Structures are given as structure tokens and as C-alpha cells.
Amino acid sequence: MRISGYGIVVLSVFLFYFIDHSVHARPVVLVLSNDDLNSGGDDPGVGDSSDFDEFGESEPKSEEELDPGSWRRMFEPDDDSTVEAASPQYYSGLHKILSAASEGNDRLMEEAVEEIEAASSSGDPHSQSLMGFVYGTGMMREKSKSKSFLHHSFAAEGGNMQSKMTLAFTYLRQDMHDKAVKLYAELAETAVNSFLISKDSPVVEPTRIHSGTEENKGALRKSRGEEDEDFQILEYQAQKGNAAAMYKIGLFYYFGLRGLRRDHTKALHWFSKAVEKGEPRSMELLGEIYARGAGVERNYTKALEWLTLAAKEGLYSAFNGIGYLYVKGYGVEKKNYTKAKEYFEKAVDNEDPSGHYNLGVLYLKGIGVKRDVRQATKYFFVAANAGQPKAFYQLAKMFHTGVGLKKNLEMATSFYKLVAERGPWSSLSRWALEAYLKGDVGKALILYSRMAEMGYEVAQSNAAWILDKYGERSMCMGVSGFCTDKERHERAHSLWWRASEQGNEHAALLIGDAYYYGRGTERDYVRAAEAYMHAKSQSNAQAMFNLGYMHEHGQGLPFDLHLAKRYYDQALQSDAAAKLPVTLALASLWLRRNYADTFLVRVVDSLPEVYPKVETWVENVVFDEGNATILTLFVCLITILYLRERQRRQVVVPDPVGGDVAQPLDADVAQHLAAFPR
């Protein structure tokens, strides 16, 4: 792969927004010309290389150190009470907020907010962050963007990372990239410091709990933790001595995957059993555990031993961990950049993306090699194309500072956000899913709403869906207790809109429907058309159909039968399942074109008004218990009469010669008649 020497270089860079749903994140193709490459990047005097760290923090930090005020203590408590002791009122109020959401207790929620408000007034940054959330959602306080922004600003200055995420997303929505990029840069750096040393950690994707308007049962089934049948089968295999199953279970517990609570002790147990059977991936992760001190005392010597064993077993990603230890001088006699480079090159020779990233850092900083920013850029792009988040982080810094790449704050902000969303605060998604699966919809809504404020599209979509799907059962808290219908619709509308801005085509479609039908807002065909256009730009077939319909009827768009047909055709091209509605719509267009202002056209136009009335009649009259019984008996009677008549005609058939010959009964008729007396 070459960066220089071509007029235009097209690099397919996949921006992983880590979502698993019907609306997939589409790959973004990054097109770079020679002008995009900073020709002065090889000059050590160009740009400040001190902006680029070598390999993260000198000592790996715990997640609570990386995310002060973390909600982890509410869901995964441990014996370390130092953080809680520093902010007892904050954690007490947070506990009450979550309990009130679970119980649907508006009085307890008011008490919790008052407690948090008092702590906020005394200057506690984490309580200020919560009050920013309270004012931002309109929960027990009048919704106020200005007060929310002010509280989050104070909290961010006090070191609260969740407020920094919220402010960064606020600036991003307003296209204030100069401010957003600074916050996302800090957040991305924190996220990178929580990553593994030897390879990219597994993608912990926020689960989309819905698919369209329905619950995403397939994805939820795989997230039920120890209750999941597949997990139980895997556990049985592990207990019977299957090393691969042991590794998978250890992995699930180490990262808290598949709906399991993160448990480093259980992870260590299963990894240890797996390595007894020579499982190399478990050896590598034991090296990671000892290097990070996750559930054990940090021991770099043991880390090096396990990583070396994994590498000898042919696990090439382990070379990265060994190289890292030589760069930092951990577990070895002294720093040795030459050996580090050799190990990274071994990883690259075996097409390991983390190896490309690590070599990129060496060339960017000039560590053990002559500084070569273009070569570093080349390595970072290879790693980024493989989905390596740390490579996106370095590319973001290059776009941010203009070192190696031409300065581009918008691109830098996008890449920083991508990495920042994998920080320790992303654990909120796991706890929200756990609450939802346990039927605790109120707690799930609070957690998803918190993440929605921080800019997570999946959380915005999930929170909006819960509000729409569960209604009063969502335990939504408004200004004066439980949400009114108006408050709930407005909140869902706002969340869907934010999700649509981030590429969720289904959200844009729902926004269009809300304006078209006047659900939770004033009916506005023009704004409905704008929302459908947004969804159409993301290749949504339903939106294309709706735009065709609006052109056909002149609703919010000019009356234009040619454009209507074009949109109908596009809908069919985009989704074969649209064949029936498109066929009916094209028939309607034909009638309208050839029989304008006739009775037929008036009948077609009346169908949207008639259908709801028919639907209501079916629900209220036909499905009424007594009427349904009568209707069923009537259908049975008609069926019996039909079968008797059919039998009468088939029992005796005139003989061709002249006599009557008995013919055998049709088998189906005989079966039905056997149940009735003659």
C-alpha cells in the first residue's frame, strides 16, 4: 500500500459506530488527494510531535480513575470505597434516582433530585453532572438547555468525563468543531488508555433493543447472560474440558459480554484452566491481566512470560504485547526499541492490525527509527481499515494538528468521537440492557437517556423506542411527577431526531410520521417531507414510497405525478418487499392520470379515511366476544351448507351409458361430513 506517488488515493475506512440493528452503519470511504497529505510532515520541525504520546499512560489506570463519578458502583460494587467516601451525597442521590425509576416512585425521585441539587450547590462536580442531566431531560425540574449546559460545564471543569461527552456532543450538533474537537481529543485519549496492550479489545456493541417498531428478540436472546441456553451449553462444554469453550467463557466474564456481569475472578479461573490445555489466546489474556493488574497484583514479569508462551504457540498478536513491554521497559532489564520494533514487525508480517499501529507510532515519534510521518500515516491507515480504534485515534490527532495530514477539524472530531465512545463510560449500555432484560424498564430508560445525552445514537434510539412502546409503563418522569402524554411524546420526538441526525434512517422515518400524522406535535406536511428526504438519503424504501405518495397528493410537496412514479420505482428498486404497495400505488397513479376528477379517483382518495373506520369497526364490533362467537357460528353454518351442497352434487353422477352409477365420495368431503348427522 502506497500513500505517495498517486494523484488520488482512495482508502476505505470503516467507521465502526458499533451498532447491531436493522439500520447498519455504512462504511465511509475516505478519499485523499496528495493535497491532503502534509508535505512537510517528514520535517521534525513541522508540527509538535509532543502532541503524540508513545504508548499511553505509564501505568494502566482503573476504570474509576479514568471515569471519575462512574456509575459502576451502583452495578458492579467492589471493596474499594475510597471513591464513594469522597462523594457520599452524590452516590446516595444516584442510588435513589435509579431506585425511583425502577419502582416508579415519583416522590422518591423528587427526594433524590433535591439531594443531588444540594450536593451540586456545594460544588461537587459529579452532582453537577447529574443536575445537568436532570435539566436536560426535564426530570422533576423544568427543562432548560441553558441550565443543563451550565451544570455540565461546571462538572466538566471538575473532571467529570460524562459531562465532557455531553458538552462535546452539544458542540458537535452545532457544528462548533473547534470546541468539540478539544473535548473529544481528551476523551479519546482516556478511552485509548483503557484498551488492551497487545491487541484490540472485543467490540462491545450497544445492543439495539428494537428492530423497526418491534422488539429485537434475536439480539436480546443472545444477551441473557447465564440464563442463555447457548451459554449454558458452552459452560457444559467447558466443564467437560473443552479448552476453546473455557477461553470463550473467560472472555465473556473479562469484558462483560453477552449479558454477563464483568467478573475478573471468574475470567482468571477459566483462562487458567484453558492454559493448562495449551490454549494460546488465554495465555495472551493472562499476560494482559498481569500487565494491567485486573483482579490480581500487577506483575510485568509474569505478563511477559504469558505473552511469550502465547507467541510461541503461534498467536501473532502477542508480539505486540511483548513489543510494548520493551518500549516501556516493563518486565525486562531496560527499554529496547530495537527489539520492540522487531516484535512489531513480526506481528505485521502476520497481518496483525495492531502491529501496523505500533510501527506507525514508532515512525511517527522516531522511536528506534528515523522519524517518517508519511510511513507512519501508511501504517495507521492499514490498521484503521482493519477497524483498529487506536489507529483512528492517531489519524484524528494528525487531522487535528496538521502533522502528516492536512488539518481538518471536522474529520478529527468524527474520528475522536468514534474512539471516545469506547471509553469506560460506555459500560452504561451494558447495565441498561441488563435492566431491560430483567423487566426493569424504568431503570433502562434512565441509563439509555444518560447515554443519549452523551451522544450515543443507539441509546437515543433505544430510549425513544421505550417511550413509544411502553408509554406510561416506561416510568418516564416529567416536571411534576410521571410524564404526561405530551411530555413523553416530545421527549421521544427529540430522541428520534438526534438519532436521525446521526444516520438512523428508521428514526428519520418516525420523525416524518410524527409530523405527517400529528403525533406528539402539530401536523406539518412540509417538515414531514424534510424528514422523509433525510431517510431517503439513507436509502430507506419506506421514505421513498412516502415521498411518492406526497407528490401524488400534493401534500407538503408539489403535485407531480412524474416525480411520484420516480419515487415509487426507487422504493421497489431499494426493497423487493415493496412490490405489492408499489404496484397498488402505480395503479392509483394510472387511474389519476387517465380518469382525473372521476368517481374512481374519489374512491381511491377516500380509502385513507375509510380504512381507520373499518379497522375500528372490526376491533369494536367483530372482535367483541359475543359478536365474535355469533360470527364464528355463522361462518360454520355457511361452511356446512357449502359442503352438503358439494356432497349432493358428487354422490350420484349420471352414467355415460344411461344409468346412475355411485361414485366414491371425495376424501375431504367425507371427512367433513363424518362429523355431522344425516
Side-chain angles (χ1 to χ4, degrees):
M1 173 182 174
R2 294 179 57 84
I3 295 296
S4 57
Y6 295 92
I8 293 193
V9 181
V10 180
L11 297 166
S12 178
V13 180
F14 291 88
L15 297 182
F16 293 97
Y17 281 98
F18 312 126
I19 50 181
D20 178 20
H21 54 91
S22 58
V23 187
H24 296 287
R26 293 178 174 81
V28 175
V29 180
L30 180 63
V31 182
L32 296 175
S33 69
N34 283 336
D35 292 337
D36 293 317
L37 298 168
N38 191 331
S39 60
D42 292 336
D43 182 358
V46 176
D48 183 2
S49 66
S50 66
D51 289 335
F52 297 82
D53 60 351
E54 295 179 11
F55 288 88
E57 293 284 345
S58 296
E59 292 286 344
K61 292 183 177 180
S62 69
E63 290 198 9
E64 286 201 347
E65 290 176 299
L66 295 171
D67 182 20
S70 169
W71 292 22
R72 181 176 304 282
R73 290 186 168 273
M74 300 294 103
F75 300 94
E76 297 174 3
D78 54 32
D79 296 331
D80 181 10
S81 59
T82 55
V83 178
E84 184 172 358
S87 306
Q89 200 170 3
Y90 161 69
Y91 280 105
S92 172
L94 176 58
H95 176 72
K96 288 178 181 178
I97 284 177
L98 295 172
S99 297
S102 296
E103 300 167 9
N105 189 331
D106 54 344
R107 291 184 179 179
L108 181 60
M109 184 65 78
E110 176 61 36
E111 181 184 330
V113 171
E114 288 178 356
E115 187 170 345
I116 290 293
E117 193 168 30
S120 171
S121 299
S122 66
D124 177 63
H126 311 314
S127 299
Q128 290 167 342
S129 178
L130 261 186
M131 284 308 299
F133 172 65
V134 165
Y135 281 115
T137 55
M139 187 174 72
M140 313 310 292
R141 295 291 183 272
E142 196 72 39
K143 186 174 181 178
S144 172
K145 290 183 180 180
S146 59
K147 288 183 179 180
S148 176
F149 181 84
L150 185 64
H151 280 84
H152 279 305
S153 297
F154 285 135
E157 288 180 9
N160 186 280
M161 306 304 281
Q162 295 181 23
S163 280
K164 290 180 182 181
M165 283 287 290
T166 301
L167 289 176
F169 182 63
T170 301
Y171 289 133
L172 178 62
R173 290 190 72 202
Q174 298 172 3
D175 293 328
M176 299 172 67
H177 295 104
D178 56 332
K179 292 187 176 182
V181 75
K182 292 179 182 178
L183 287 167
Y184 275 131
E186 180 185 350
L187 292 157
E189 181 180 1
T190 301
V192 166
N193 288 331
S194 70
F195 294 167
L196 300 185
I197 62 171
S198 58
K199 63 177 182 178
D200 184 25
S201 56
V203 176
V204 184
E205 299 184 352
T207 301
R208 195 172 298 276
I209 61 176
H210 67 100
S211 178
T213 58
E214 299 302 320
E215 188 175 67
N216 191 356
K217 296 185 182 300
L220 294 177
R221 184 186 62 80
K222 297 177 181 179
S223 303
R224 296 191 178 276
E226 295 176 348
E227 297 178 4
D228 179 35
E229 184 178 345
D230 291 343
F231 176 82
Q232 292 171 357
I233 293 172
L234 189 68
E235 188 176 38
Y236 175 78
Q237 292 172 339
Q239 290 169 347
K240 290 295 182 181
N242 186 309
M246 294 174 184
Y247 162 73
K248 287 183 179 179
I249 291 180
L251 192 72
F252 292 166
Y253 278 120
Y254 187 74
F255 292 103
L257 305 177
R258 300 291 292 268
L260 289 172
R261 278 285 181 94
R262 183 154 56 177
D263 191 324
H264 288 158
T265 302
K266 287 185 178 180
L268 183 63
H269 167 76
W270 285 111
F271 288 145
S272 299
K273 290 181 72 68
V275 297
E276 291 175 3
K277 295 183 174 294
E279 212 292 316
R281 294 170 297 178
S282 297
M283 297 174 187
E284 182 185 33
L285 278 167
L286 279 178
E288 169 69 29
I289 285 172
Y290 279 108
R292 190 169 293 279
V296 297
E297 185 177 349
R298 182 178 285 125
N299 188 323
Y300 289 116
T301 302
K302 282 191 175 182
L304 180 61
E305 290 174 358
W306 283 116
L307 289 168
T308 303
L309 282 173
K312 286 181 179 179
E313 292 293 327
L315 193 65
Y316 304 118
S317 58
F319 287 127
N320 291 298
I322 299 172
Y324 170 87
L325 294 176
Y326 274 106
V327 167
K328 305 297 287 186
Y330 297 156
V332 295
E333 291 183 5
K334 60 180 181 179
K335 294 181 180 180
N336 190 325
Y337 297 144
T338 302
K339 279 194 173 183
K341 178 174 177 287
E342 290 174 359
Y343 281 114
F344 294 150
E345 286 175 338
K346 286 181 180 180
V348 167
D349 290 342
N350 290 280
E351 300 182 354
D352 182 81
S354 293
H356 285 91
Y357 164 77
N358 288 326
L359 278 180
V361 175
L362 293 185
Y363 279 102
L364 181 66
K365 294 285 293 182
I367 302 173
V369 295
K370 182 182 177 181
R371 186 171 185 243
D372 188 337
V373 177
R374 287 196 175 224
Q375 184 69 12
T377 306
K378 166 186 171 180
Y379 281 123
F380 289 147
F381 269 109
V382 173
N385 276 317
Q388 226 283 0
K390 287 187 282 190
F392 280 105
Y393 174 60
Q394 293 292 356
L395 290 173
K397 287 200 288 186
M398 297 177 100
F399 278 121
H400 187 189
T401 60
V403 175
L405 292 170
K406 184 173 287 187
K407 196 169 186 176
N408 186 327
L409 292 186
E410 185 173 354
M411 190 69 75
T413 303
S414 297
F415 281 12
Y416 277 141
K417 181 177 187 289
L418 176 96
V419 179
E421 288 188 342
R422 295 193 64 180
W425 38 86
S426 65
S427 295
L428 288 166
S429 175
R430 189 171 73 251
W431 303 324
L433 178 61
E434 181 181 292
Y436 181 80
L437 290 172
K438 290 180 177 179
D440 193 343
V441 178
K443 183 180 289 184
L445 177 61
I446 287 285
L447 290 162
Y448 281 132
S449 297
R450 177 65 162 177
M451 290 191 75
E453 182 185 48
M454 293 160 60
Y456 287 84
E457 182 275 318
V458 176
Q460 293 163 353
S461 172
N462 285 348
W465 183 81
I466 287 175
L467 289 167
D468 282 345
K469 180 72 173 180
Y470 287 88
E472 293 180 356
R473 293 181 293 134
S474 67
M475 303 300 177
C476 170
M477 295 289 178
V479 176
S480 304
F482 290 107
C483 288
T484 62
D485 288 345
K486 184 175 184 295
E487 285 177 321
R488 194 168 54 251
H489 283 307
E490 287 178 349
R491 193 174 298 180
H493 182 86
S494 174
L495 288 163
W496 284 126
W497 189 257
R498 292 183 198 179
S500 72
E501 290 177 339
Q502 298 197 76
N504 185 325
E505 64 191 51
H506 176 69
L509 187 67
L510 286 176
I511 291 294
D513 290 347
Y515 280 122
Y516 187 89
Y517 295 106
R519 295 172 182 164
T521 184
E522 293 292 326
R523 176 174 286 185
D524 189 329
Y525 290 138
V526 174
R527 297 192 73 175
E530 290 173 355
Y532 290 144
M533 280 288 188
H534 188 56
K536 179 258 180 185
S537 68
Q538 298 164 35
S539 303
N540 185 283
Q542 180 66 60
M544 296 173 188
F545 184 91
N546 292 352
L547 288 168
Y549 184 88
M550 295 177 80
H551 271 301
E552 181 184 352
H553 294 85
Q555 296 175 329
L557 293 171
F559 176 78
D560 191 324
L561 298 184
H562 293 288
L563 276 178
K565 184 179 185 302
R566 180 183 300 176
Y567 279 121
Y568 289 143
D569 290 340
Q570 286 179 358
L572 184 57
Q573 291 171 3
S574 180
D575 186 356
K579 184 173 183 179
L580 177 58
V582 167
T583 301
L584 294 174
L586 292 176
S588 171
L589 280 181
W590 182 83
L591 285 173
R592 202 174 298 281
R593 187 177 289 123
N594 294 281
Y595 296 94
D597 300 323
T598 64
F599 174 74
L600 281 175
V601 173
R602 287 194 290 274
V603 169
V604 170
D605 287 342
S606 68
L607 290 178
E609 297 179 4
V610 171
Y611 174 76
K613 296 177 181 178
V614 173
E615 186 179 38
T616 301
W617 179 80
V618 170
E619 289 180 355
N620 296 338
V621 178
V622 176
F623 287 164
D624 178 79
E625 184 176 354
N627 293 339
T629 302
I630 295 171
L631 182 63
T632 302
L633 292 173
F634 178 74
V635 171
C636 290
L637 178 61
I638 295 298
T639 303
I640 292 168
L641 293 174
Y642 165 75
L643 292 173
R644 278 188 173 280
E645 177 64 17
R646 183 178 174 187
Q647 185 244 353
R648 186 186 66 78
R649 293 181 179 183
Q650 293 185 3
V651 169
V652 179
V653 180
D655 182 80
V657 181
D660 288 343
V661 180
Q663 299 290 327
L665 286 175
D666 178 83
D668 292 334
V669 176
Q671 181 179 359
H672 285 292
L673 290 177
F676 302 102
R678 295 179 180 277

